Amino acid sequence: MHPDFAEISDSEADSLVSAIDREGYGVVQAYLRDDEIAELRSFVNQAVQAAGGVYVSFTGHESVAGTALERMANSPAFRRLCSKVYERTTGQPAPDQPYYQILRCLTGPSGQKHSLRFHYDSYVLTVLLPIHVPRGQNSGDLIVLPNVRKVRQLYARNLLDKILLDNPFSQFLLRRMTKASSPRLVRIKMNPGDLYLFWGYRSVHTNEPCDPDKIRATALFHYIDPHSDSALKKLLRK
Ligand SMILES: O=C(O)CCC(=O)C(=O)O
Ligand SMILES: [Fe+2]
Protein backbone atom coordinates (compact mmCIF):
# COMPACT_ATOMS: atom_id res chain seq x y z
CA MET A 1 0.00 0.00 0.00
CA HIS A 2 1.18 3.50 -0.80
CA PRO A 3 0.61 6.18 1.84
CA ASP A 4 -1.48 9.15 0.73
CA PHE A 5 0.23 12.31 -0.50
CA ALA A 6 1.19 15.13 1.86
CA GLU A 7 -1.55 17.27 3.36
CA ILE A 8 -1.24 21.06 3.09
CA SER A 9 -2.15 23.32 5.98
CA ASP A 10 -4.50 26.29 5.70
CA SER A 11 -1.59 28.71 5.99
CA GLU A 12 0.34 26.88 3.26
CA ALA A 13 -2.75 27.13 1.05
CA ASP A 14 -2.92 30.87 1.79
CA SER A 15 0.71 31.38 0.78
CA LEU A 16 0.18 29.36 -2.38
CA VAL A 17 -2.79 31.50 -3.37
CA SER A 18 -0.91 34.74 -2.76
CA ALA A 19 2.06 33.47 -4.78
CA ILE A 20 -0.24 32.50 -7.66
CA ASP A 21 -1.95 35.90 -7.53
CA ARG A 22 1.24 37.94 -7.20
CA GLU A 23 3.94 35.94 -8.98
CA GLY A 24 1.72 34.07 -11.44
CA TYR A 25 2.44 30.66 -9.97
CA GLY A 26 2.97 28.80 -6.70
CA VAL A 27 5.14 25.80 -5.88
CA VAL A 28 4.74 22.84 -3.54
CA GLN A 29 8.22 21.42 -3.20
CA ALA A 30 9.04 17.71 -3.29
CA TYR A 31 5.42 16.58 -3.56
CA LEU A 32 6.47 13.25 -5.04
CA ARG A 33 9.16 11.00 -3.65
CA ASP A 34 12.23 10.20 -5.76
CA ASP A 35 11.09 6.61 -6.27
CA GLU A 36 7.69 7.82 -7.52
CA ILE A 37 9.37 10.13 -10.02
CA ALA A 38 11.72 7.33 -11.10
CA GLU A 39 8.70 5.06 -11.70
CA LEU A 40 6.98 7.77 -13.77
CA ARG A 41 10.14 8.33 -15.78
CA SER A 42 10.35 4.71 -16.77
CA PHE A 43 6.65 4.77 -17.72
CA VAL A 44 7.35 7.78 -19.96
CA ASN A 45 10.54 6.30 -21.43
CA GLN A 46 8.72 3.11 -22.38
CA ALA A 47 5.81 5.05 -23.86
CA VAL A 48 8.10 7.21 -25.98
CA GLN A 49 10.01 4.18 -27.16
CA ALA A 50 6.81 2.33 -28.01
CA ALA A 51 5.63 5.36 -29.99
CA GLY A 52 8.85 5.38 -32.01
CA GLY A 53 10.36 8.51 -30.47
CA VAL A 54 7.57 10.96 -31.21
CA TYR A 55 5.19 13.05 -29.09
CA VAL A 56 2.76 10.94 -27.04
CA SER A 57 0.10 11.88 -24.53
CA PHE A 58 -2.21 10.05 -22.14
CA THR A 59 -5.58 11.42 -21.12
CA GLY A 60 -7.45 10.35 -17.98
CA HIS A 61 -6.32 8.24 -15.06
CA GLU A 62 -7.11 4.85 -16.62
CA SER A 63 -4.37 5.40 -19.19
CA VAL A 64 -1.78 5.83 -16.42
CA ALA A 65 -3.09 3.02 -14.20
CA GLY A 66 -0.63 1.75 -11.61
CA THR A 67 1.42 4.96 -11.54
CA ALA A 68 1.62 7.83 -9.06
CA LEU A 69 -0.54 9.83 -11.51
CA GLU A 70 -3.44 7.46 -10.99
CA ARG A 71 -2.88 7.62 -7.24
CA MET A 72 -2.94 11.43 -7.39
CA ALA A 73 -6.23 11.36 -9.30
CA ASN A 74 -7.78 9.21 -6.55
CA SER A 75 -6.04 10.84 -3.61
CA PRO A 76 -8.18 12.59 -0.95
CA ALA A 77 -5.15 14.63 0.20
CA PHE A 78 -4.38 15.88 -3.34
CA ARG A 79 -8.06 16.73 -3.82
CA ARG A 80 -8.03 18.73 -0.58
CA LEU A 81 -4.97 20.65 -1.81
CA CYS A 82 -6.79 21.61 -5.03
CA SER A 83 -10.10 22.42 -3.39
CA LYS A 84 -8.49 24.53 -0.64
CA VAL A 85 -6.66 26.63 -3.21
CA TYR A 86 -9.82 26.97 -5.32
CA GLU A 87 -12.04 27.83 -2.35
CA ARG A 88 -9.65 30.40 -0.91
CA THR A 89 -9.69 32.28 -4.19
CA THR A 90 -13.28 32.07 -5.24
CA GLY A 91 -14.90 32.03 -1.81
CA GLN A 92 -17.17 29.30 -3.24
CA PRO A 93 -17.24 25.63 -2.29
CA ALA A 94 -15.45 23.59 -4.96
CA PRO A 95 -17.98 21.68 -7.07
CA ASP A 96 -17.38 17.95 -7.28
CA GLN A 97 -15.83 17.53 -10.72
CA PRO A 98 -13.24 15.07 -11.98
CA TYR A 99 -9.86 16.41 -13.10
CA TYR A 100 -9.11 16.74 -16.76
CA GLN A 101 -5.83 14.89 -16.51
CA ILE A 102 -3.15 14.61 -19.16
CA LEU A 103 0.41 13.34 -19.36
CA ARG A 104 2.40 15.00 -22.16
CA CYS A 105 5.67 13.56 -23.43
CA LEU A 106 7.46 15.85 -25.87
CA THR A 107 10.36 14.52 -27.90
CA GLY A 108 11.74 14.37 -31.41
CA PRO A 109 10.99 16.90 -34.14
CA SER A 110 7.23 16.46 -33.56
CA GLY A 111 7.73 17.94 -30.08
CA GLN A 112 8.07 21.35 -31.76
CA LYS A 113 4.48 21.20 -32.99
CA HIS A 114 3.30 20.90 -29.40
CA SER A 115 5.34 23.88 -28.17
CA LEU A 116 4.80 27.64 -28.15
CA ARG A 117 1.06 27.24 -28.60
CA PHE A 118 -0.22 29.92 -26.29
CA HIS A 119 -3.62 29.20 -24.78
CA TYR A 120 -6.03 29.58 -21.88
CA ASP A 121 -7.10 26.38 -20.16
CA SER A 122 -10.80 25.63 -19.81
CA TYR A 123 -10.35 24.97 -16.08
CA VAL A 124 -9.74 27.44 -13.26
CA LEU A 125 -6.72 25.83 -11.60
CA THR A 126 -3.85 24.06 -13.37
CA VAL A 127 -1.55 21.82 -11.35
CA LEU A 128 1.55 20.77 -13.25
CA LEU A 129 3.93 18.03 -12.18
CA PRO A 130 7.18 17.94 -14.18
CA ILE A 131 8.57 14.42 -14.68
CA HIS A 132 11.38 14.90 -17.19
CA VAL A 133 12.90 18.38 -17.42
CA PRO A 134 15.56 18.35 -20.13
CA ARG A 135 18.78 20.28 -19.76
CA GLY A 136 20.28 21.68 -22.91
CA GLN A 137 19.95 24.46 -25.39
CA ASN A 138 16.17 24.36 -25.22
CA SER A 139 15.01 23.18 -21.85
CA GLY A 140 11.26 23.41 -22.39
CA ASP A 141 10.46 26.08 -19.81
CA LEU A 142 6.90 26.89 -18.88
CA ILE A 143 5.97 30.41 -20.04
CA VAL A 144 3.10 32.23 -18.35
CA LEU A 145 1.51 35.62 -18.89
CA PRO A 146 -0.30 35.53 -15.59
CA ASN A 147 -3.85 36.45 -14.70
CA VAL A 148 -4.69 38.51 -17.77
CA ARG A 149 -8.44 37.86 -17.62
CA LYS A 150 -11.15 37.10 -15.09
CA VAL A 151 -13.22 33.94 -15.00
CA ARG A 152 -15.96 34.87 -17.46
CA GLN A 153 -19.62 34.71 -16.49
CA LEU A 154 -20.59 33.75 -19.99
CA TYR A 155 -19.20 30.83 -21.92
CA ALA A 156 -19.62 32.87 -25.13
CA ARG A 157 -17.26 35.51 -23.73
CA ASN A 158 -14.74 32.77 -22.96
CA LEU A 159 -14.98 31.59 -26.56
CA LEU A 160 -14.37 35.12 -27.80
CA ASP A 161 -11.22 35.35 -25.63
CA LYS A 162 -10.00 32.09 -27.08
CA ILE A 163 -10.59 33.23 -30.65
CA LEU A 164 -8.68 36.46 -29.96
CA LEU A 165 -5.73 34.42 -28.71
CA ASP A 166 -5.75 31.43 -31.03
CA ASN A 167 -4.87 33.20 -34.27
CA PRO A 168 -1.56 33.65 -36.10
CA PHE A 169 -1.22 37.33 -35.21
CA SER A 170 -1.58 36.93 -31.42
CA GLN A 171 0.57 33.82 -31.47
CA PHE A 172 3.26 35.68 -33.43
CA LEU A 173 3.30 38.56 -30.92
CA LEU A 174 3.54 36.20 -27.96
CA ARG A 175 6.35 34.25 -29.57
CA ARG A 176 8.17 37.49 -30.20
CA MET A 177 7.71 38.51 -26.57
CA THR A 178 9.12 35.13 -25.54
CA LYS A 179 12.13 35.48 -27.79
CA ALA A 180 12.79 38.97 -26.48
CA SER A 181 12.43 37.71 -22.87
CA SER A 182 9.73 40.27 -22.20
CA PRO A 183 9.50 41.07 -18.48
CA ARG A 184 5.74 40.60 -18.66
CA LEU A 185 6.22 36.88 -19.20
CA VAL A 186 7.07 34.59 -16.32
CA ARG A 187 9.53 31.88 -17.31
CA ILE A 188 9.48 28.89 -15.00
CA LYS A 189 12.40 26.49 -14.81
CA MET A 190 10.85 23.45 -13.28
CA ASN A 191 12.17 20.85 -10.92
CA PRO A 192 10.85 17.28 -11.24
CA GLY A 193 8.68 16.19 -8.31
CA ASP A 194 7.63 19.73 -7.34
CA LEU A 195 4.07 20.87 -8.08
CA TYR A 196 3.46 24.09 -10.00
CA LEU A 197 0.07 25.77 -9.62
CA PHE A 198 -1.34 28.63 -11.67
CA TRP A 199 -4.68 30.02 -12.79
CA GLY A 200 -4.75 28.22 -16.14
CA TYR A 201 -8.10 29.73 -17.17
CA ARG A 202 -6.96 33.26 -16.42
CA SER A 203 -3.37 33.02 -17.70
CA VAL A 204 -2.01 32.82 -21.24
CA HIS A 205 0.60 30.06 -21.13
CA THR A 206 2.58 27.46 -23.04
CA ASN A 207 5.76 25.43 -22.97
CA GLU A 208 8.95 26.13 -24.88
CA PRO A 209 10.31 23.38 -27.10
CA CYS A 210 13.08 21.07 -25.95
CA ASP A 211 15.95 19.62 -27.98
CA PRO A 212 14.59 16.82 -30.22
CA ASP A 213 16.93 14.22 -28.73
CA LYS A 214 15.60 14.86 -25.21
CA ILE A 215 12.30 14.08 -23.50
CA ARG A 216 10.19 16.67 -21.71
CA ALA A 217 7.35 15.11 -19.72
CA THR A 218 4.70 16.91 -17.68
CA ALA A 219 1.56 15.69 -15.96
CA LEU A 220 -1.33 18.14 -15.77
CA PHE A 221 -4.36 18.17 -13.53
CA HIS A 222 -6.91 20.69 -14.71
CA TYR A 223 -9.46 21.47 -12.03
CA ILE A 224 -12.94 23.03 -12.12
CA ASP A 225 -14.65 23.93 -15.35
CA PRO A 226 -16.52 27.17 -14.64
CA HIS A 227 -18.78 26.62 -17.65
CA SER A 228 -19.81 23.06 -16.89
CA ASP A 229 -23.50 24.10 -16.78
CA SER A 230 -23.42 26.25 -19.91
CA ALA A 231 -26.20 25.40 -22.34
CA LEU A 232 -24.20 26.86 -25.23
CA LYS A 233 -21.22 24.69 -24.38
CA LYS A 234 -23.41 21.58 -24.31
CA LEU A 235 -24.97 22.54 -27.62
CA LEU A 236 -21.59 23.04 -29.29
CA ARG A 237 -20.31 19.72 -27.95
CA LYS A 238 -23.14 17.80 -29.69
O1 LIG B 1 3.24 20.83 -20.58
C1 LIG B 1 3.19 22.01 -20.21
O2 LIG B 1 4.16 22.57 -19.70
C2 LIG B 1 1.94 22.83 -20.33
C3 LIG B 1 0.78 22.11 -20.95
C4 LIG B 1 -0.51 22.84 -20.85
O3 LIG B 1 -0.56 24.01 -20.65
C5 LIG B 1 -1.79 22.11 -20.97
O4 LIG B 1 -1.77 20.91 -21.26
O5 LIG B 1 -2.85 22.72 -20.77
FE1 LIG C 1 -2.61 24.71 -20.45
Short mmCIF file of all heavy atoms in Angstrom, two decimals, residues 3 7 11 20-21 39 61 70 72 76 89 108 120 134 157 162-163 171-172 177 179 193 195 201 204 228-229 235:
data_model
loop_
_atom_site.label_atom_id
_atom_site.label_comp_id
_atom_site.label_asym_id
_atom_site.label_seq_id
_atom_site.Cartn_x
_atom_site.Cartn_y
_atom_site.Cartn_z
N PRO A 3 1.26 5.18 0.97
CA PRO A 3 0.61 6.18 1.84
C PRO A 3 0.04 7.29 0.96
O PRO A 3 0.47 7.46 -0.18
CB PRO A 3 1.77 6.69 2.70
CG PRO A 3 3.01 6.40 1.92
CD PRO A 3 2.72 5.21 1.05
N GLU A 7 -0.42 16.37 3.10
CA GLU A 7 -1.55 17.27 3.36
C GLU A 7 -0.99 18.71 3.34
O GLU A 7 0.18 18.91 3.72
CB GLU A 7 -2.03 16.93 4.76
CG GLU A 7 -3.48 17.12 5.05
CD GLU A 7 -4.42 16.24 4.21
OE1 GLU A 7 -4.41 15.01 4.28
OE2 GLU A 7 -5.20 16.87 3.48
N SER A 11 -2.50 27.58 6.23
CA SER A 11 -1.59 28.71 5.99
C SER A 11 -0.74 28.45 4.75
O SER A 11 -0.43 29.38 4.00
CB SER A 11 -0.75 29.05 7.22
OG SER A 11 0.12 27.98 7.49
N ILE A 20 0.38 32.63 -6.32
CA ILE A 20 -0.24 32.50 -7.66
C ILE A 20 -0.79 33.86 -8.11
O ILE A 20 -0.62 34.26 -9.26
CB ILE A 20 -1.36 31.44 -7.67
CG1 ILE A 20 -0.86 30.09 -7.15
CG2 ILE A 20 -1.92 31.27 -9.08
CD1 ILE A 20 -1.96 29.05 -6.98
N ASP A 21 -1.39 34.59 -7.18
CA ASP A 21 -1.95 35.90 -7.53
C ASP A 21 -0.85 36.90 -7.87
O ASP A 21 -0.97 37.67 -8.81
CB ASP A 21 -2.79 36.45 -6.38
CG ASP A 21 -4.13 35.71 -6.24
OD1 ASP A 21 -4.53 35.03 -7.20
OD2 ASP A 21 -4.76 35.81 -5.16
N GLU A 39 9.70 5.96 -11.12
CA GLU A 39 8.70 5.06 -11.70
C GLU A 39 7.98 5.75 -12.87
O GLU A 39 7.78 5.17 -13.94
CB GLU A 39 7.73 4.68 -10.57
CG GLU A 39 6.44 4.00 -10.93
CD GLU A 39 5.37 4.30 -9.87
OE1 GLU A 39 4.73 5.38 -9.94
OE2 GLU A 39 5.17 3.45 -8.99
N HIS A 61 -7.15 9.01 -15.99
CA HIS A 61 -6.32 8.24 -15.06
C HIS A 61 -6.23 6.76 -15.42
O HIS A 61 -5.28 6.09 -15.05
CB HIS A 61 -6.77 8.44 -13.61
CG HIS A 61 -8.16 7.99 -13.33
ND1 HIS A 61 -8.44 6.70 -12.96
CD2 HIS A 61 -9.33 8.66 -13.37
CE1 HIS A 61 -9.75 6.61 -12.78
NE2 HIS A 61 -10.30 7.77 -13.03
N GLU A 70 -2.12 8.01 -11.33
CA GLU A 70 -3.44 7.46 -10.99
C GLU A 70 -3.71 7.65 -9.50
O GLU A 70 -4.82 8.04 -9.11
CB GLU A 70 -3.51 5.96 -11.34
CG GLU A 70 -4.90 5.41 -11.10
CD GLU A 70 -4.98 3.88 -11.14
OE1 GLU A 70 -4.01 3.20 -10.72
OE2 GLU A 70 -6.04 3.38 -11.58
N MET A 72 -2.60 10.02 -7.63
CA MET A 72 -2.94 11.43 -7.39
C MET A 72 -4.41 11.69 -7.74
O MET A 72 -5.11 12.38 -7.01
CB MET A 72 -2.04 12.35 -8.21
CG MET A 72 -0.66 12.53 -7.59
SD MET A 72 0.47 13.47 -8.64
CE MET A 72 -0.12 15.15 -8.40
N PRO A 76 -7.43 11.58 -1.72
CA PRO A 76 -8.18 12.59 -0.95
C PRO A 76 -7.29 13.78 -0.56
O PRO A 76 -7.75 14.93 -0.59
CB PRO A 76 -8.65 11.85 0.30
CG PRO A 76 -8.58 10.39 -0.06
CD PRO A 76 -7.48 10.25 -1.05
N THR A 89 -9.68 31.23 -3.18
CA THR A 89 -9.69 32.28 -4.19
C THR A 89 -11.08 32.72 -4.55
O THR A 89 -11.35 33.90 -4.69
CB THR A 89 -9.04 31.74 -5.46
OG1 THR A 89 -7.73 31.42 -5.12
CG2 THR A 89 -9.03 32.72 -6.57
N GLY A 108 11.60 14.45 -29.95
CA GLY A 108 11.74 14.37 -31.41
C GLY A 108 11.30 15.65 -32.08
O GLY A 108 10.87 16.60 -31.42
N TYR A 120 -5.40 29.58 -23.20
CA TYR A 120 -6.03 29.58 -21.88
C TYR A 120 -6.55 28.16 -21.67
O TYR A 120 -7.10 27.57 -22.60
CB TYR A 120 -7.26 30.49 -21.84
CG TYR A 120 -7.04 31.96 -22.06
CD1 TYR A 120 -7.55 32.59 -23.19
CD2 TYR A 120 -6.39 32.73 -21.11
CE1 TYR A 120 -7.41 33.96 -23.37
CE2 TYR A 120 -6.24 34.10 -21.29
CZ TYR A 120 -6.75 34.70 -22.42
OH TYR A 120 -6.62 36.05 -22.61
N PRO A 134 14.30 18.50 -19.43
CA PRO A 134 15.56 18.35 -20.13
C PRO A 134 16.51 19.51 -19.85
O PRO A 134 16.07 20.64 -19.66
CB PRO A 134 15.15 18.35 -21.60
CG PRO A 134 13.87 19.10 -21.63
CD PRO A 134 13.19 18.87 -20.31
N ARG A 157 -18.35 34.56 -23.92
CA ARG A 157 -17.26 35.51 -23.73
C ARG A 157 -15.90 34.77 -23.66
O ARG A 157 -14.89 35.23 -24.18
CB ARG A 157 -17.52 36.30 -22.44
CG ARG A 157 -16.53 37.40 -22.15
CD ARG A 157 -16.52 38.43 -23.27
NE ARG A 157 -15.16 38.90 -23.55
CZ ARG A 157 -14.57 39.94 -22.98
NH1 ARG A 157 -15.23 40.65 -22.09
NH2 ARG A 157 -13.35 40.27 -23.29
N LYS A 162 -10.83 33.13 -26.47
CA LYS A 162 -10.00 32.09 -27.08
C LYS A 162 -9.75 32.37 -28.56
O LYS A 162 -8.64 32.12 -29.05
CB LYS A 162 -10.65 30.71 -26.89
CG LYS A 162 -10.59 30.22 -25.43
CD LYS A 162 -10.93 28.76 -25.32
CE LYS A 162 -10.83 28.28 -23.89
NZ LYS A 162 -10.18 26.99 -23.74
N ILE A 163 -10.76 32.90 -29.23
CA ILE A 163 -10.59 33.23 -30.65
C ILE A 163 -9.55 34.35 -30.81
O ILE A 163 -8.70 34.32 -31.70
CB ILE A 163 -11.95 33.63 -31.28
CG1 ILE A 163 -12.86 32.40 -31.36
CG2 ILE A 163 -11.76 34.25 -32.66
CD1 ILE A 163 -14.31 32.71 -31.64
N GLN A 171 -0.46 34.82 -31.75
CA GLN A 171 0.57 33.82 -31.47
C GLN A 171 1.95 34.36 -31.85
O GLN A 171 2.93 34.16 -31.14
CB GLN A 171 0.29 32.51 -32.22
CG GLN A 171 -1.01 31.83 -31.78
CD GLN A 171 -0.92 31.23 -30.37
OE1 GLN A 171 0.10 30.66 -29.99
NE2 GLN A 171 -1.98 31.35 -29.60
N PHE A 172 1.99 35.10 -32.97
CA PHE A 172 3.26 35.68 -33.43
C PHE A 172 3.78 36.69 -32.39
O PHE A 172 4.95 36.67 -32.02
CB PHE A 172 3.05 36.35 -34.79
CG PHE A 172 4.18 37.23 -35.22
CD1 PHE A 172 5.34 36.67 -35.75
CD2 PHE A 172 4.10 38.61 -35.10
CE1 PHE A 172 6.41 37.49 -36.14
CE2 PHE A 172 5.15 39.43 -35.48
CZ PHE A 172 6.32 38.86 -36.00
N MET A 177 7.48 38.12 -27.97
CA MET A 177 7.71 38.51 -26.57
C MET A 177 8.58 37.47 -25.86
O MET A 177 9.43 37.80 -25.04
CB MET A 177 6.38 38.62 -25.81
CG MET A 177 5.62 39.89 -26.04
SD MET A 177 3.94 39.78 -25.32
CE MET A 177 4.29 39.96 -23.57
N LYS A 179 10.78 35.40 -27.26
CA LYS A 179 12.13 35.48 -27.79
C LYS A 179 12.89 36.66 -27.19
O LYS A 179 14.08 36.57 -26.88
CB LYS A 179 12.06 35.66 -29.32
CG LYS A 179 12.98 34.70 -30.05
CD LYS A 179 12.78 34.82 -31.53
CE LYS A 179 13.94 34.15 -32.26
NZ LYS A 179 13.76 34.25 -33.70
N GLY A 193 9.17 16.59 -9.63
CA GLY A 193 8.68 16.19 -8.31
C GLY A 193 8.03 17.32 -7.55
O GLY A 193 7.27 17.10 -6.62
N LEU A 195 5.34 20.54 -7.41
CA LEU A 195 4.07 20.87 -8.08
C LEU A 195 4.05 22.36 -8.39
O LEU A 195 4.44 23.17 -7.55
CB LEU A 195 2.88 20.59 -7.17
CG LEU A 195 2.47 19.17 -6.85
CD1 LEU A 195 1.18 19.21 -6.03
CD2 LEU A 195 2.25 18.37 -8.13
N TYR A 201 -7.00 29.08 -16.42
CA TYR A 201 -8.10 29.73 -17.17
C TYR A 201 -7.78 31.20 -17.39
O TYR A 201 -8.09 31.76 -18.44
CB TYR A 201 -9.39 29.58 -16.36
CG TYR A 201 -10.64 30.16 -17.01
CD1 TYR A 201 -11.57 29.33 -17.62
CD2 TYR A 201 -10.90 31.54 -16.99
CE1 TYR A 201 -12.72 29.85 -18.19
CE2 TYR A 201 -12.04 32.07 -17.56
CZ TYR A 201 -12.95 31.22 -18.17
OH TYR A 201 -14.09 31.74 -18.74
N VAL A 204 -2.51 33.31 -19.95
CA VAL A 204 -2.01 32.82 -21.24
C VAL A 204 -0.73 32.04 -20.93
O VAL A 204 0.12 32.53 -20.19
CB VAL A 204 -1.69 34.00 -22.18
CG1 VAL A 204 -0.99 33.52 -23.43
CG2 VAL A 204 -2.95 34.77 -22.53
N SER A 228 -19.31 24.43 -16.74
CA SER A 228 -19.81 23.06 -16.89
C SER A 228 -21.33 23.02 -17.09
O SER A 228 -21.86 22.07 -17.65
CB SER A 228 -19.42 22.22 -15.67
OG SER A 228 -19.98 22.78 -14.52
N ASP A 229 -22.04 24.10 -16.63
CA ASP A 229 -23.50 24.10 -16.78
C ASP A 229 -23.96 24.88 -18.02
O ASP A 229 -25.16 25.02 -18.24
CB ASP A 229 -24.15 24.75 -15.55
CG ASP A 229 -23.96 23.89 -14.31
OD1 ASP A 229 -23.80 22.65 -14.47
OD2 ASP A 229 -23.95 24.45 -13.20
N LEU A 235 -24.47 22.54 -26.24
CA LEU A 235 -24.97 22.54 -27.62
C LEU A 235 -23.82 22.36 -28.61
O LEU A 235 -23.90 21.56 -29.55
CB LEU A 235 -25.67 23.89 -27.85
CG LEU A 235 -26.45 24.05 -29.14
CD1 LEU A 235 -27.76 23.25 -29.02
CD2 LEU A 235 -26.78 25.51 -29.39
#
